[in-house]
Structures are given as C-alpha cells and as structure tokens.
Amino acid sequence: ALPYSSGRCCLCASLQCLSDGGAARFWTMAFFGLTALGPQNYMSSLLKDNLLVDIFTDEEYDDAYNRVAVDGCLKGEAELTAVLEKVYHGEVPSAELKDFIDLTPIAEDGTITRADFDATVAMMRVKAKEFVSSQHQVLAGACETSSSEVMQTNLRRHTRNKANPTDKYSQPMMTSQEYGWHQSGEDLKTKRAAKMSCEETQYAAELIKCGVYF
C-alpha cells in the first residue's frame, strides 16, 4: 500500500514525511517506480531551490549532449543551457541552471568536454541527494520560522512574511493561488476612464450652472 493513504490532509502527510525518514522513503519509492504517481513531498518539489537533476537518467543526459555537441564538445554556457533544456523538456529552474554553470569547467577556448559535463552531472546528483537526505527543504527559503510559537505569534500580530509565495515556489501549490499568481504590479493597477454623460444630462447640468433648478 502507498504511504499516507489514510485520509490525512496533504500538509500533515508532507510534515510527517519530513519528520520520520522522508528521504529514505523517497528513494525506496523511486526504486519501485512509485514516484510516477507524483512527488513524495509536493510542497518541497515546488520550491525554487529544489533540485530536479536526479529525476532524469544518464541516458537522457547522454542523448541531449550528443544532439547539441559539435565534435564532441559544447561551446560555452549557451550550448550547456541548450543541453539541459532538452533534458528538462523546457526551461531549467534558474537556481539549478546557475549551479550547473558554476560547477562546469570551461576550457580556455570556451569549450566544455564530455568528461567535464559528466562530472558536473555526477556532482549535481550528489548535491540533490544531500538536499533530500539532510531535509534541507525544511530550512529552505519557504520556511521563515523555526518554531510553532513564533509562527503563532506572527499570526496573532499579523506579521507579514519576508517573501511572497511567488518568491518561494515555482508554481501555485493550491488552485486558489492561481488567481493573480502571474500578475505584475502593472496588472494590479486600477484602470480609470473619464465619465461620459449623455446629451440630456449635459443640458441639465448647464441649466443648473445658470441658476435654473427645474
């Protein structure tokens, strides 16, 4: 049977997963292929600093590299980004892309060898495992308090969080957050339009200005 199927809410399940061996349970589910049913911890999977590198196989990285590389090498950060976008099937999370670029050595002629690329993927996989095993997601940017007492105090005093949900998560966690999620400050401004009056109203207004109160 799948864990956390006893009817508890998603929040309780996520917190329980983090508190009693969530990392080991995640890798066990990955071994049996159960992660295809969805992430073990939905909240942490949406964190902007979450690492997705371990979702993909070595064959997927090899295939993407061979499709982009010329003469067995990549030319700079642009082609490295192109390889990762093929692996990730779209835009790579900004924090993860930055880690890839920072860890990948670039030769003096601006090329990236296959060995260096494979070494970077291996280092990113280690970093992803450490992220899960150390439960670092609990202390990531989404967590602004370290105790329930402080959290309750902030709620009573209506203390605002330091960061908005859009700054913490890559996409809405609930359907109610989808409204306004992608809106910018310009979208939230009220559009004003001049009041238009009909000819009869304009005529009556002119009469009032002349002292005729009908």
Side-chain angles (χ1 to χ4, degrees):
L2 291 176
Y4 312 125
S5 59
S6 58
R8 291 184 295 172
C9 68
C10 295
L11 176 60
C12 295
S14 300
L15 294 176
Q16 185 67 20
C17 170
L18 292 175
S19 61
D20 57 359
R25 195 182 298 272
F26 172 84
W27 296 116
T28 302
M29 290 185 67
F31 177 80
F32 287 104
L34 297 179
T35 51
L37 301 177
Q40 174 71 358
N41 190 335
Y42 180 71
M43 292 184 180
S44 64
S45 69
L46 296 181
L47 288 173
K48 285 191 173 180
D49 54 358
N50 188 34
L51 298 176
L52 308 177
V53 59
D54 236 12
I55 296 177
F56 309 102
T57 63
D58 291 335
E59 288 75 15
E60 290 177 287
Y61 285 101
D62 293 341
D63 179 66
Y65 186 95
N66 294 331
R67 290 165 61 184
V68 177
V70 177
D71 297 330
C73 295
L74 300 177
K75 295 181 180 179
E77 297 179 1
E79 291 194 356
L80 173 62
T81 303
V83 171
L84 296 176
E85 287 179 346
K86 290 184 180 299
V87 175
Y88 285 65
H89 304 284
E91 185 178 357
V92 184
S94 57
E96 194 158 359
L97 178 60
K98 183 179 183 302
D99 289 341
F100 262 104
I101 293 175
D102 292 342
L103 293 175
T104 303
I106 300 178
E108 294 182 357
D109 58 355
T111 60
I112 301 173
T113 64
R114 177 61 179 271
D116 290 335
F117 176 77
D118 291 341
T120 301
V121 173
M123 287 188 289
M124 289 294 294
R125 290 192 186 281
V126 172
K127 189 174 181 179
K129 287 182 173 64
E130 291 175 350
F131 181 88
V132 176
S133 62
S134 64
Q135 298 182 6
H136 181 267
Q137 57 265 41
V138 181
L139 302 177
C143 183
E144 297 189 6
T145 57
S146 58
S147 70
S148 60
E149 183 179 355
V150 175
M151 183 182 69
Q152 292 295 333
T153 301
N154 292 343
L155 290 174
R156 288 195 301 270
R157 296 182 177 180
H158 302 284
T159 303
R160 293 181 60 87
N161 292 327
K162 297 178 181 178
N164 294 323
T166 53
D167 299 325
K168 301 176 182 180
Y169 300 96
S170 58
Q171 54 184 300
M173 293 186 296
M174 299 173 290
T175 55
S176 60
Q177 292 181 332
E178 294 178 358
Y179 297 95
W181 186 268
H182 298 291
Q183 287 185 335
S184 62
E186 294 295 327
D187 299 327
L188 299 177
K189 290 183 178 180
T190 302
K191 295 181 179 180
R192 300 181 180 274
K195 180 182 178 181
M196 301 297 293
S197 300
C198 64
E199 294 181 358
E200 290 79 3
T201 303
Q202 294 177 5
Y203 179 76
E206 292 298 327
L207 289 177
I208 294 175
K209 289 181 182 179
C210 295
V212 179
Y213 300 96
F214 51 90

